[in-house]
Amino acid sequence: MNDDLISPGHRTCAGCGSILAARHMLKATGRDVIICESTGCLEVTSTQYPLTSWKVPWIHVLFENAVSVAVGVKAALWAQGNEHTQVIAFGGDGGIVDIGFGAVSGALERNDDIMIITYDNEAYANTGIQRSGATPFGASTGTSPHGKVSIGKKVWKKNVPMIAVAHGAGYVASASIAYPKDLQDKIKKAMSIKGTRYIHIHTPCPVGWGFDSSKTIEIARLAVQTGMWILFEIEDGKFKKMFRPTELMPVENYLRMQKRFEHLKEEEIKIIQDHINQTWKELDNLEKSGVNLRTIL
Ligand SMILES: Cc1ncc(C[n+]2csc(CCOP(=O)(O)OP(=O)(O)O)c2C)c(N)n1
């Protein structure tokens, strides 16, 4: 196991899931890595001038172009004859899934040799919890508030891992801070592969989601146990589920622990439960079929 390459003393909120994603990521990569991180909670709280929590080379990039900078850094290393240093574009769901997505798509399409990692706290947390493309259906946020005529966010979460596969990415995976070994194994595997690799990590946010800061790991684990967040790997276009409980727990257990879902009525919870059941079944069928998603998406 590598040293801890995120030092304590950073200013993330108590119970922040995103800093754990960074910590586990670096445990997997070791020191031979350059991180290009977009503006967001984690950037602000881990690098308050003149201090930094990052014990590896780290660049703060504008909100929208962490991936473009990572591609440039990789090209500069290549010009120096350095083929060993891993370059990672690291950003929140706002940075990667939404505003920076053009650059993500460009890198994927060119198959640039970088890793892209999203830490997904399912909102624009740094600016006060606005809805992002990764915010789940039914969640109340500053820009998808629930009320008399609204249940919160009205559409489903954007599926960037599948969009990455549709670009032909050779390695795509989802991960969770509640399953650190699985998370680190996936990053290690991604490091052994050339081309654009995409990993999406689920990172609960006590402030934005409305739960006690002692419950971060419990919530992250429940997301996986209920099927609200599915752990998988797509290698060379082949889908594989990485966590298969004999039975999924009811999603209500997960939703009821968070203020952002507290307004949901039984029928809305049922819509979410049905959606999970359907997705779970179809992903099983996909895995059994052995279909190569790179050829059909
Ligand atoms: C072009 C641009 N628009 C808006 C902002 C304001 N802004 C800074 S961080 C942020 C939200 C970041 O959200 P996300 O990427 O999800 O990371 P998180 O804060 O949740 O960790 C926004 C909107 C900005 N810095 N630049």
Side-chain angles (χ1 to χ4, degrees):
M1 188 67 80
N2 287 299
D3 298 342
D4 195 347
L5 296 174
I6 291 282
S7 69
H10 51 74
R11 291 160 169 84
T12 63
C13 305
C16 174
S18 301
I19 191 76
L20 292 178
R23 174 165 284 138
H24 294 313
M25 168 178 78
L26 295 186
K27 278 190 193 279
T29 61
R31 290 177 187 273
D32 192 13
V33 66
I34 297 175
I35 306 291
C36 305
E37 180 167 3
S38 54
T39 301
C41 272
L42 208 53
E43 165 267 318
V44 167
T45 52
S46 64
T47 61
Q48 275 184 338
Y49 185 81
L51 305 172
T52 178
S53 286
W54 296 79
K55 298 187 195 169
V56 297
W58 178 96
I59 305 172
H60 171 212
V61 187
L62 293 177
F63 191 24
E64 60 274 31
N65 59 350
V67 170
S68 313
V69 171
V71 171
V73 169
K74 184 69 197 180
L77 289 172
W78 179 81
Q80 291 173 347
N82 176 342
E83 302 238 351
H84 52 84
T85 302
Q86 287 287 330
V87 180
I88 299 183
F90 185 57
D93 43 302
I96 303 286
V97 171
D98 290 342
I99 191 170
F101 188 72
V104 172
S105 175
L108 284 162
E109 188 269 329
R110 292 184 303 267
N111 202 22
D112 288 320
D113 190 22
I114 59 163
M115 207 186 304
I116 303 173
I117 300 185
T118 303
Y119 68 89
D120 184 2
N121 55 22
E122 302 188 324
Y124 293 70
N126 186 47
T127 38
I129 325 296
Q130 291 83 27
R131 151 215 199 284
S132 81
T135 300
F137 175 88
S140 189
T141 72
T143 46
S144 63
H146 73 280
K148 277 191 196 134
V149 291
S150 169
I151 59 149
K153 189 176 172 189
K154 294 185 187 67
V155 290
W156 300 99
K157 189 178 172 81
K158 195 195 279 189
N159 193 336
V160 178
M162 284 296 178
I163 297 172
V165 180
H167 282 74
Y171 187 79
V172 172
S174 65
S176 162
I177 53 158
Y179 296 82
K181 165 93 171 52
D182 174 78
L183 189 164
Q184 289 176 27
D185 286 349
K186 283 168 173 163
I187 290 178
K188 282 185 194 149
K189 186 185 274 190
M191 282 165 61
S192 69
I193 293 168
K194 289 259 174 228
T196 315
R197 295 136 284 157
Y198 182 78
I199 298 182
H200 199 114
I201 309 176
H202 196 231
T203 62
C205 166
V207 176
W209 301 9
F211 61 83
D212 188 85
S213 57
S214 64
K215 302 264 185 242
T216 306
I217 300 297
E218 200 180 319
I219 296 264
R221 197 180 299 122
L222 258 180
V224 174
Q225 290 170 332
T226 56
M228 190 75 178
W229 185 247
I230 297 174
L231 298 183
F232 61 81
E233 197 171 65
I234 304 173
E235 206 177 342
D236 289 329
K238 295 281 173 70
F239 179 89
K240 188 170 155 204
K241 250 189 215 168
M242 305 299 277
F243 179 81
R244 296 179 170 282
T246 34
E247 206 176 335
L248 287 176
M249 289 170 76
V251 73
E252 186 161 11
N253 298 12
Y254 174 72
L255 302 176
R256 287 295 177 223
M257 285 181 75
Q258 303 168 54
K259 203 167 174 358
R260 65 180 174 156
F261 294 120
E262 148 179 285
H263 57 282
L264 292 180
K265 298 197 215 49
E266 239 169 65
E267 60 264 32
E268 288 140 11
I269 292 178
K270 183 169 180 321
I271 293 173
I272 298 174
Q273 186 66 64
D274 289 348
H275 188 261
I276 289 176
N277 295 349
Q278 184 74 12
T279 307
W280 189 259
K281 200 170 78 194
E282 282 178 8
L283 288 176
D284 271 344
N285 290 341
L286 174 65
E287 185 170 350
K288 277 190 216 118
S289 74
V291 157
N292 188 333
L293 289 169
R294 285 168 104 184
T295 60
I296 60 161
L297 285 181

